[in-house]
């Protein structure tokens, strides 16, 4: 597999920043939920991906034979692994998104004149 470039990763973070700015501008709630949905996917969303990325980095650090201070490295790897678990624990946010979608639909059903998505 070819490694992504720093610019590729930067583009991903810039896209996330654009999404954040858009959401701060009072968007349509249905559209906002649709935009957030891929980020919070139960299996491939950002919490899972970031957790997996941090764990992969921890493995790469441990596998590098040129790291001079192995004791310090283990403490830093523990920090990466802890952060990975904390990120992965956020995978349940997709349930929150489902609940928000249900509330939106209930609101649409209660107000027939409101545009529903």
């Amino acid at each position: 597999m070819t490694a992504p470039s720093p610019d590729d990763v930067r583009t991903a973070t810039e896209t996330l920043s654009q999404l954040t700015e858009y959401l701060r501008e009072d968007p349509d709630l249905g559209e906002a939920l649709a935009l957030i949905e891929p980020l919070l996917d139960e299996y491939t969303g950002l919490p899972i991906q970031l957790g997996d990325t941090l764990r992969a980095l921890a493995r790469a650090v441990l596998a590098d034979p040129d790291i001079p201070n192995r004791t310090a490295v283990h403490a830093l790897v523990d920090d990466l692994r802890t952060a990975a678990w904390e990120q992965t624990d956020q995978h349940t946010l997709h349930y929150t998104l489902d609940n928000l979608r249900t509330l939106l639909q209930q609101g649409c059903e209660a107000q027939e004149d409101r545009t529903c998505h």
Side-chain angles (χ1 to χ4, degrees), residues 65-83:
D66 295 329
I67 299 286
N69 186 340
R70 300 309 275 178
T71 303
V73 165
H74 283 285
L76 296 171
V77 165
D78 286 345
D79 289 346
L80 288 171
R81 289 179 174 161
T82 298

Side-chain angles (χ1 to χ4, degrees), residues 18 20-28:
Q18 286 177 317
T20 302
E21 288 301 314
Y22 172 75
L23 293 174
R24 289 180 178 149
E25 295 175 4
D26 195 27
D28 172 78

